[in-house]
Structures are given as C-alpha cells and as structure tokens.
Amino acid sequence: MAEAPILEVKNLRVEFPTRRGTLVAVDDISFSIAPGEVLGVVGESGAGKSMTGAAVIGLIEPPGRIAGGSISLAGRRIDDLPYEEMRKVRGREIGAIFQDPLTSLNPLYTIGRQITETILTHLPVSPAEAQQRAIGLLREVGIPAAEKRIDHYPHQFSGGMRQRVVIALALAANPKLIIADEPTTALDVSIQAQIIALIKKLCCEHGAAVMLVTHDMGVIAETADRVAVMYAGRIAEIGPVRDVIKAARHPYTDGLMASIPKVGRTDARLAQIDGAMPRLNAIPRGCAFNPRCTKAFDRCRAERPEPMRVGNSDVACWLYDAGQGGTR
Amino acid sequence: MIAFVVQRLLQSVLVMLAVAFISFALFRYIGDPVLIMLGQDFTREQYEMLVRDLGLDQPFYVQFAKFVVSAVQGEFGISYRLARPVAQLIAERLPATLELSMMAALLALTIGVPMGVYTGLRRDSWLSRFFLTISLVGVSLPTFLIGILLILVFAVQLGVLPSFGRGDVVKFGSWSTGFLTTSGLKALVLPAVTLCLFQLTLIMRLVRSEMLEVLRTDYIKFARARGLQNRAVNFGHALKNTLVPVITITGLQIGGIIAFAIVTETVFQWPGMGLLFIQSVNNADVPVMAAYLLLVGFFFVVINLVVDLLYYVVDPRLRIDRGAASGH
C-alpha cells in the first residue's frame, strides 16, 4: 500500500450512553482504504459495521457519539469538524448508498429535482448544467430514457431502478469515497448482482473508493479487494479478500465461511457457529468471541487480543501470538 | 383528475341532500309551525287555510322537493322572530363570522406551523418545552373561559381593547368589513385570539409530532448524507412531508371554527351567524336554525373538497400515473 490512503480510521470508538451505563458499539477499530479500493465490511447484525459507516459520514444518531480515535479523509481529519464543515464533506467527498431504495428517496419530489439539488449544493454549476449532469448520471446508472424519467417521482420506479437512482445521487458530486450500507439487502436476488456490478464499475470509472458494508459473503467475494470481518464492535480479521475467504485465520471468520452453503457440496448439514453474538452490554472479558470459539484457551478468556500481522492479514486472535508458537 | 373531481362533487351533492333532509325534518317536525304563526286565537278555517297556503297538506316528498328547490335558490323562508327573510338575515351576519373565522384560521396556521416545526426540530430546548406546556392550556381550557379571561385582562383591567361588538364597519355592497377601521381591527383582536387558540395548539402539536416522525425516515437521513443544507432538509424535505395530515386537520378545523364560532360570538357579542343562531335557538326560530344548519354543512363540504384537491397538489403519489412503474 504505497499510496496514501483515502480513508484512515484509527482506534475509532463509538459509544451510546444509556441509563444503564455506556454501550460501546464500535470498540477501538483501525483500518484504511486506498484510493479506488473496495473494502468489504462483514459481520452479523449489531456487529458495528453500519455504525462504523455512520461514523465516517458523521451521522451517528444522538445520543451516540464518537468517543475516541480519529477518522481522516485524504489526510485531513474529519471526525472533529464542526457540523457545517462536515456537511460540505458529505455528498461532496463521501457519497452514501443506503440499504432500502424504497425509503431513501423523498416521495414528494421528482428524482431529477433530488439529483440537481445535490449537484447544486456541492458544485459551482448553473441549474441547466446540473440538469444535464443529472441526465448523464441517470444514463450512467442504466436508466433508460433518462431525459424523460428525470421528471418522474420515486413511486414510478421499481426497487432496482430506485437503487440505481440512489447510486446516481451518491455519485452526483464525484466523491472520492462511497459508503454503501447493505446496498442490495432490500432488493430481489435477481437484481442484487446487477447493482453490485454497477457500483463496482461506476466507482472504478469515477475513481472512488468504496466501503461496502454487508452481511453477504458472496457479495464481498465478488466485489471487494480487501475485507474486514467485524464481531461485537471489533475487527476480528482484516486482509485481502482471497486470503480471508480461502484461508480464514480467525476462528470466527473460519466459522463464518464454513456456514456458507456451496453449490455442489453434498454435506447433509451446514456448519454453524454455536451461540449468538453477545449483546453490547454483556461483552465477555478477553476476546469477545471466546465463549463460542472451539479453539479458545485460558488467555482468550483473560486478555483481549490486539490485531497481529499474519501473512497479508491482521488478525485479532491469540492463536497467532508469537509467544503461543503460532500453530493452528 | 377530472373523474376524481366529478366523483367528489357528486358525493358532495349527496351529503348536502342529507343535510337538507335533516334541516327540513327539523323545520317540519319541531312543533307545529302553523300553531306558532297563528298565535293564541284562531278558527279551524283559518288554520286549514294557512296549512293549504303553506303547502303543508301536500305529501312529505313534495314538500321536501320544494324545500330543496327554494334552498338552492337561496330561499329559506321568513324568520319567526324578526319577520324578515332568513336569507337576508344570514347575508347580513355572514361577513362578520367569515372575517372572524378566517382571521382565527390564519393566526392558527401562521403561528401554529412555525411553532410546531420549531418544537419538532429543537426537541430539548427550553423554549420548546415552554410552548408545549402553554399548548396544554390552549387544549384544555374551554373557549368561553379563555374569552372571559381575555376580556377581564385586556378590556376591563388594561382597558386597551373593546370587550364586545365589531367596532365601525365599512360597507361594500352587501359585504361589511371591519378590516378598514381602527376600531374594527381592535374589536377583532380578542375574539380572533380566543377562537384561534385551540386550533393553534392543535396544529402546533400535530406539526410537531409529524415532524418528529418524518425526521426519523430514511429519506431525511439520506438527504443529510447527501450534504444538503439544514434549511433544505428541514423545510424542503421534512416539512413538505408533514403537510398532508396538517392540511386534513386544518381543513376540518376551519369548518369547526366557522361552526363553533357560536361560543366566541356569544362571549364577545360578535354580530355574526353564531350569535344569530343562539338567539334563534332561544326563540325556536326554526327557519333560521334550518338555514344555519344547511350553510354550515355547505361550508364543511366545500372545505373538504378543497382539502381533497390540495392532496393532489402536495402528494404526487395520488396523481394518476403518467408512466406506471417500469420493470427492473
């Protein structure tokens, strides 16, 4: 990774103060994304992956807050910017794609108005130029008869088409980074591949890096360059997608991979990880995964593992600590 | 669109016929109007002659048809109490009531909507809490009490505003207005404030709860993620989405304001229809009561029609689809 990263997150911590104490939704995570790179973030619901995305665009719902660490975009720190400064970053430098295209668009305005509004907010162009640019964007995301469709309302589009509009909106001001939070979860399976391919193609053409948050390993395998596996607010393993999928190092990643059905395999039962991810107010001491881990030993229950370099990946697991001999 | 309007108009006609039937029944069956007209001493011949003259010996449906036909022509008969045509009496009183009602509705909207938006956006500010506390007073105190309290403070103790009547009015043909004289405007203040207070607090609370609802939606979050300015998000996107329920309630309230101006008009001796109605009730002046009932019904029907048409303007989803949702 010779190039300076477009996004660098260091020791990020997101907390939710509640009446019964503070919940830590994201606990001391660090990662970076290189320009043009696609980083997949996977994990179960509640693992903190969407929260990490929200932290990067600065839209954590109060009372949640960033309690520590730093987020830098192209070398500039953005987690402590005042609201108005951060607003200028959103949309202009970081684009977002949300999960549900049916609810991401305002039903009362035409899609054209929503796109030109975004363009005019961020770029010094005339309304006519913005209109032209909007039509161009709609064409790019594959909406037929874009000149005509631009005057239509969201309810006149299908789910897949609406997600294309959302992608056009995310790209409207040519951001350097796109945060796609489960962009295909709400779509028909038949559309999912198209949308993922479209995101990948367009971000490549626009030179935008992507942080792709999903719980779908298949999507990650197809799209991502690197992948971060999150568990209970921490990163269990982060590395090149090939290494993580083919040779998962962390027992959690290993279990996750084994639980994906594969065509042609005739095992009677699918492997599963026993138990459930701990709730945020009951994260066990030591490694958060230790109660479910088949390879856990004493140290896992006592000390929290920090990410360790193993091959091309960073793995937070005591199995790979030099002192333990690094056997597996 | 045209089909919709025609359908609504037909429905309105049906509603008006129903209202006409009720007021006709009132006219016909509350006591014997012939006895009331003839007074104490009369002969059998006199009685039968009057019954024939008035057409009361004809079958019920013929009488109803006659009533409807003359009502459409603005004929409501002669007031028992004042011995003048009812239509003329109402025409004299109508401007006073309409001016008062419109002023109250205008106040309720122009103050209630911004207060609702403010309390929705700044949920925790002390001013929001203050507004909400005050609004409880508006909702829970009965109108006549508020009116009397206002009279006590502003008319009796401070002596700055008149406690009754309409002040000097200027005539425009059959329309008399109090808007053009200082005393007319001064006289309008207390009744309008009294009448609007309940509606104002209702609109404020409605806008507030709708705003809270809308601000939680994905498209508002997405609008923020697009980096739109706060003003554009709050007023362009959020407020417009709260309008449909606000229009509904406001429409019904305007009807209510006109109908229930009775109490306010009585407290302030405002020479409008409400006061006329109360006096008619006291004297069993059935023709006036019947006409008043019809007129209020008519106002409600017209307002509902306008409300339905406004939905069309505000919400594109209700408009007939030009191009149905396309495939994927």
Side-chain angles (χ1 to χ4, degrees):
Chain A
M1 222 188 288
E3 252 180 307
I6 183 78
L7 179 74
E8 186 153 36
V9 175
K10 273 190 193 151
N11 306 105
L12 177 70
R13 187 178 166 91
V14 177
E15 289 179 353
F16 278 80
T18 65
R19 249 174 258 150
R20 288 198 217 127
T22 302
L23 296 183
V24 183
V26 174
D27 192 0
D28 195 19
I29 67 169
S30 303
F31 62 91
S32 61
I33 303 179
E37 187 185 38
V38 179
L39 174 75
V41 179
V42 285
E44 295 168 57
S45 306
K49 46 194 201 309
S50 295
M51 198 53 71
T52 308
V56 173
I57 48 173
L59 284 179
I60 294 177
E61 298 268 316
R65 62 189 187 92
I66 295 177
S70 67
I71 301 169
S72 307
L73 186 73
R76 173 189 179 210
R77 216 171 143 183
I78 55 168
D79 58 294
D80 54 0
L81 288 181
Y83 185 89
E84 183 57 19
E85 287 300 303
M86 191 58 205
R87 178 189 70 71
K88 288 180 189 151
V89 171
R90 285 197 284 271
R92 177 71 189 90
E93 290 173 63
I94 308 176
I97 300 171
F98 280 15
Q99 179 172 354
D100 189 352
L102 299 181
T103 57
S104 296
L105 300 169
N106 188 334
L108 301 187
Y109 291 122
T110 64
I111 59 162
R113 160 146 188 195
Q114 298 188 51
I115 300 175
T116 50
E117 169 187 56
T118 313
I119 296 171
L120 290 171
T121 304
H122 295 295
L123 302 178
V125 296
S126 70
E129 284 167 324
Q131 178 83 1
Q132 276 315 305
R133 197 183 152 85
I135 292 175
L137 280 164
L138 288 178
R139 267 200 210 111
E140 263 190 274
V141 297
I143 288 181
E147 319 71 37
K148 220 177 104 218
R149 295 292 263 162
I150 194 167
D151 291 324
H152 285 189
Y153 289 92
H155 70 275
Q156 292 166 302
F157 292 84
S158 66
M161 282 294 161
R162 282 195 224 182
Q163 195 63 309
R164 286 169 192 265
V165 173
V166 170
I167 293 169
L169 273 164
L171 291 169
N174 250 334
K176 300 172 219 158
L177 173 68
I178 299 280
I179 295 182
D181 189 353
E182 312 241 8
T184 56
T185 310
L187 298 176
D188 283 356
V189 181
S190 54
I191 315 298
Q192 288 183 354
Q194 287 177 22
I195 294 294
I196 286 294
L198 182 72
I199 293 176
K200 178 141 185 167
K201 171 175 156 271
L202 287 178
C203 291
C204 189
E205 283 170 13
H206 287 246
V210 182
M211 179 175 156
L212 179 63
V213 174
T214 178
H215 56 248
D216 187 340
M217 266 295 181
V219 167
I220 296 281
E222 263 174 60
T223 324
D225 300 313
R226 285 193 309 138
V227 53
V229 180
M230 288 192 72
Y231 185 81
R234 301 169 194 185
I235 291 181
E237 177 167 2
I238 179 168
V241 71
R242 194 164 289 276
D243 293 18
V244 173
I245 288 180
K246 289 275 155 60
R249 300 240 169 47
H250 196 286
Y252 175 63
T253 321
D254 203 25
L256 210 56
M257 291 305 152
S259 62
I260 298 169
K262 291 181 184 65
V263 177
R265 204 169 61 175
T266 50
D267 303 359
R269 282 183 70 91
L270 209 51
Q272 62 174 21
I273 309 174
D274 290 328
M277 199 172 68
R279 287 207 310 271
L280 289 178
N281 57 4
I283 292 175
R285 230 162 79 85
C287 175
F289 187 57
N290 83 66
R292 301 171 74 189
C293 184
T294 50
K295 300 190 175 95
F297 50 95
D298 290 345
R299 195 176 181 186
C300 302
R301 289 182 266 276
E303 272 179 84
R304 178 179 165 181
E306 293 304 320
M308 283 161 259
R309 195 92 244 216
V310 183
N312 289 319
S313 307
D314 290 298
V315 186
C317 179
W318 289 125
L319 288 172
Y320 301 97
D321 190 40
Q324 292 292 324
T327 50
R328 184 166 178 240
Chain B
M1 175 78 189
I2 290 168
F4 172 81
V5 174
V6 170
Q7 187 198 343
R8 278 299 143 101
L9 279 175
L10 286 177
Q11 283 176 4
S12 308
V13 169
L14 280 181
V15 171
M16 282 315 295
L17 276 178
V19 174
F21 180 76
I22 293 169
S23 50
F24 168 74
L26 191 76
F27 203 176
R28 183 70 185 75
Y29 296 111
I30 292 182
D32 186 344
V34 180
L35 285 180
I36 297 171
M37 283 181 200
L38 284 172
Q40 298 282 317
D41 293 320
F42 57 90
T43 60
R44 183 123 201 110
E45 287 72 42
Q46 280 176 311
Y47 181 86
E48 274 163 11
M49 203 171 82
L50 192 56
V51 165
R52 252 196 318 281
D53 283 354
L54 291 172
L56 294 179
D57 53 343
Q58 284 165 324
F60 157 79
Y61 52 89
V62 175
Q63 289 185 41
F64 181 53
K66 277 187 178 168
F67 175 79
V68 170
V69 168
S70 53
V72 167
Q73 292 165 345
E75 273 305 318
F76 296 101
I78 310 283
S79 159
Y80 299 160
R81 184 171 65 97
L82 299 164
R84 289 173 54 200
V86 173
Q88 204 183 328
L89 281 173
I90 286 191
E92 278 170 13
R93 305 296 192 101
L94 191 61
T97 294
L98 283 187
E99 279 186 0
L100 176 61
S101 308
M102 290 307 125
M103 195 63 208
L106 202 69
L107 276 179
L109 273 180
T110 52
I111 301 173
V113 171
M115 270 169 84
V117 170
Y118 180 85
T119 50
L121 290 177
R122 299 269 152 81
R123 247 180 308 173
D124 299 322
S125 81
W126 66 267
L127 194 58
S128 295
R129 295 204 179 122
F130 175 73
F131 283 159
L132 283 177
T133 315
I134 288 292
S135 77
L136 273 181
V137 176
V139 172
S140 50
L141 277 189
T143 312
F144 68 89
L145 193 60
I146 293 172
I148 289 168
L149 283 176
L150 286 177
I151 289 177
L152 182 68
V153 175
F154 290 99
V156 178
Q157 290 184 337
L158 298 175
V160 287
L161 293 167
S163 64
F164 71 94
R166 238 190 130 189
D168 300 326
V169 294
V170 180
K171 282 258 183 195
F172 287 104
S174 60
W175 189 276
S176 63
T177 177
F179 283 132
L180 296 175
T181 60
T182 326
S183 71
L185 286 174
K186 271 177 137 180
L188 188 61
V189 175
L190 289 185
V193 167
T194 307
L195 190 55
C196 87
L197 211 59
F198 179 77
Q199 330 292 337
L200 189 158
T201 49
L202 198 75
I203 288 172
M204 180 195 117
R205 284 177 162 262
L206 181 73
V207 170
R208 181 187 116 94
S209 66
E210 288 293 324
M211 278 297 275
L212 290 179
E213 188 110 330
V214 169
L215 286 174
R216 271 199 297 270
T217 59
D218 277 355
Y219 55 83
I220 294 300
K221 283 182 202 148
F222 190 54
R224 290 200 200 286
R226 285 191 274 142
L228 301 185
Q229 279 163 9
N230 265 340
R231 193 161 33 89
V233 175
N234 293 339
F235 294 95
H237 286 268
L239 183 59
K240 196 172 176 191
N241 272 283
T242 68
L243 284 185
V244 165
V246 172
I247 289 172
T248 312
I249 297 296
T250 309
L252 291 176
Q253 289 303 315
I254 289 178
I257 285 178
I258 295 173
F260 303 120
I262 291 176
V263 176
T264 311
E265 288 186 4
T266 310
V267 171
F268 289 96
Q269 289 296 300
W270 188 262
M273 292 191 309
L275 195 59
L276 178 71
F277 178 74
I278 285 290
Q279 288 161 352
S280 307
V281 169
N282 287 339
N283 295 290
D285 195 347
V286 178
V288 176
M289 285 155 69
Y292 179 81
L293 191 62
L294 262 182
L295 196 63
V296 167
F298 178 72
F299 281 138
F300 265 98
V301 164
V302 169
I303 288 164
N304 270 323
L305 197 64
V306 172
V307 163
D308 282 341
L309 293 177
L310 278 178
Y311 287 168
Y312 258 56
V313 176
V314 172
D315 196 337
R317 282 166 295 188
L318 298 174
R319 289 173 216 155
I320 294 156
D321 265 2
R322 280 165 293 171
S326 77
H328 299 302

